[in-house]
Amino acid sequence: MTFTLYKETRLNCFYVNIAALLKRLPVEDAHLIYLFNQAGLFYRDTEDEDEFQISPYYRLLDDFVYGLFGARLHKTGSSAGDDYMRTLKETLANGKSAIIESDIFYLPYSGFYRRTHFPHALEVTGYREGTFEICDHYYEYHGFLEESELQAVFDASLDSAFYKRLYVWFLKKTEGPAPEELTPAFCKSVIQDNLANMQGAVTYDCPSGSYPGLAAFVPICGKIKSLKTIEEDSVKFKTASYLYEGFREIANSRYHHHHFLKAIGEHALAESYLEADQSWMVAANLLMRAATGNQFQAFEERILARMERVKQKEADNTALLQQWLDRRTAGPSDDVRKDESTTA
């Protein structure tokens, strides 16, 4: 069995596993920059009145993975732990490493074991004589779990609040050659899509009923204002947690998009996105400080003031994207860098 821990602190637990699978094709780190290119925004209420979704990602990674690297992400879901185990073994037997899901509360090696519930993803790289080799890239852990231990994790996770089904993901190279180069047309399409989403278009896989782009700030700020009036602590901290995690993920998306823009030679625009990353992180940290001391009323004015600054930064960046495209109305720009460093 062999393994590679992929270390990238600004990718969420699912995305860092996708990156690890791609590295096994292999894909160079420098080329992964082009995959994590989304810097959108949407807010959506769910059927559970205590839950909502905030995300910068309006499109699944599948199309990008295929278009850039000539591979497909495959997934199979199971609602029973024994079926899920069987799917995992079949995937590994076909020579593929696999991404699996679990409630981290039940992972024996985790620092959150029997302390905190939340959904998590990790990679299984091999199986031999009743033992699974795992790489938890997000927590930089490599080790082994017995089949009985992992089966217990699956069974318990399916009984948790997070999962009705668990999915196994693996990556498969498609027949035929992978795309040979990253084209100016692709770079332009990425910026067009981010602009469309931020201007309010619900694009690709962005859920229906969403508040896309800059319009999302109204319900987001409404949730911030609601924190001081929620009486039940569990609901209050659940709402704060959703906001905090959402803000962090939006910040991460801006950080990665800044690397994408630098890679295609748009350094000034890249710096503006790095500033947006920092603004979202400040808002997230203010929320954390409010939650730590249960001082939501005391922190509300500061958080909302920061959100106004964040909104203005996002509006400025949206205008910069429009200006970038306006300068290229004749078609894909020749000044988007296209050399050995931008080939996939």
Side-chain angles (χ1 to χ4, degrees):
M1 299 181 188
T2 60
F3 73 96
T4 303
L5 280 175
Y6 180 72
K7 301 178 182 180
E8 173 48 75
T9 58
R10 298 300 298 271
L11 289 174
N12 63 42
C13 63
F14 181 67
Y15 278 15
V16 76
N17 280 287
I18 296 295
L21 294 187
L22 286 166
K23 281 175 65 67
R24 300 183 194 284
L25 282 183
V27 170
E28 296 179 14
D29 285 350
H31 295 164
L32 290 174
I33 290 171
Y34 305 113
L35 176 62
F36 303 108
N37 58 52
Q38 294 182 78
L41 177 63
F42 72 84
Y43 171 97
R44 180 177 71 100
D45 289 311
T46 68
E47 294 180 0
D48 188 330
E49 63 180 13
D50 294 338
E51 297 181 3
F52 54 93
Q53 185 179 9
I54 301 174
S55 176
Y57 309 122
Y58 50 83
R59 183 178 181 181
L60 298 178
L61 283 186
D62 302 44
D63 290 342
F64 289 123
V65 170
Y66 175 70
L68 288 169
F69 309 118
R72 290 289 191 190
L73 276 171
H74 297 262
K75 73 174 184 179
T76 303
S78 301
S79 57
D82 54 349
D83 288 340
Y84 192 60
M85 176 65 77
R86 185 162 42 252
T87 300
L88 173 59
K89 287 182 177 180
E90 290 172 355
T91 302
L92 297 173
N94 289 327
K96 309 293 183 184
S97 63
I99 299 173
I100 62 170
E101 297 180 300
S102 75
D103 184 337
I104 202 167
F105 183 88
Y106 301 109
L107 287 173
Y109 65 83
S110 170
F112 299 97
Y113 182 56
R114 301 204 177 281
R115 290 176 50 207
T116 304
H117 290 273
F118 58 89
H120 188 51
L122 59 147
E123 184 186 19
V124 181
T125 60
Y127 174 75
R128 184 177 180 181
E129 297 178 354
T131 301
F132 290 91
E133 183 177 17
I134 63 169
C135 289
D136 195 328
H137 303 279
Y138 191 78
Y139 292 109
E140 299 182 12
Y141 174 83
H142 167 250
F144 300 86
L145 287 176
E146 297 300 313
E147 182 173 339
S148 59
E149 293 179 295
L150 200 54
Q151 184 68 68
V153 171
F154 296 159
D155 293 338
S157 295
L158 283 165
D159 285 334
S160 75
F162 297 112
Y163 298 110
K164 294 181 180 178
R165 295 176 68 82
L166 293 171
Y167 289 91
V168 172
W169 283 268
F170 68 90
L171 197 64
K172 185 177 181 181
K173 195 77 172 177
T174 57
E175 295 182 2
E180 296 182 353
E181 59 185 16
L182 187 77
T183 65
F186 171 81
C187 300
K188 184 178 179 181
S189 71
V190 167
I191 292 176
Q192 285 175 322
D193 288 348
N194 279 322
L195 175 64
N197 180 253
M198 292 304 295
Q199 288 180 331
V202 179
T203 55
Y204 297 102
D205 300 294
C206 189
S208 61
S210 300
Y211 294 81
L214 296 173
F217 280 90
V218 173
I220 289 172
C221 290
K223 284 295 181 182
I224 293 170
K225 293 175 184 177
S226 75
L227 290 170
K228 67 178 183 294
T229 62
I230 300 174
E231 295 183 0
E232 189 176 342
D233 282 348
S234 62
V235 176
K236 181 188 304 183
F237 289 110
K238 183 178 182 181
T239 299
S241 176
Y242 272 64
L243 288 167
Y244 173 76
E245 293 297 334
F247 289 5
R248 278 178 52 87
E249 198 58 33
I250 295 164
N252 287 343
S253 74
R254 274 56 179 168
Y255 173 81
H256 289 293
H257 193 58
H258 125 268
H259 280 302
F260 170 84
L261 292 166
K262 282 177 64 177
I264 65 173
E266 297 295 334
H267 296 282
L269 190 52
E271 287 304 307
S272 192
Y273 270 87
L274 190 58
E275 293 170 8
D277 157 41
Q278 295 163 351
S279 290
W280 281 104
M281 277 298 189
V282 171
N285 291 336
L286 284 171
L287 269 170
M288 178 60 72
R289 289 180 61 188
T292 299
N294 198 2
Q295 296 180 307
F296 294 107
Q297 184 163 356
F299 273 84
E300 180 184 287
E301 185 176 348
R302 292 178 63 185
I303 297 171
L304 290 174
R306 169 55 58 174
M307 291 304 295
E308 189 60 36
R309 293 175 64 182
V310 173
K311 181 181 178 181
Q312 186 58 55
K313 186 62 187 174
E314 291 291 349
D316 290 345
N317 283 354
T318 301
L320 289 173
L321 294 185
Q322 184 65 67
Q323 293 168 20
W324 188 96
L325 287 168
D326 288 344
R327 293 194 298 270
R328 292 157 176 81
T329 53
S333 171
D334 291 335
D335 63 352
V336 172
R337 190 163 50 183
K338 181 180 176 184
D339 56 27
E340 291 185 357
S341 65
T342 58
T343 57

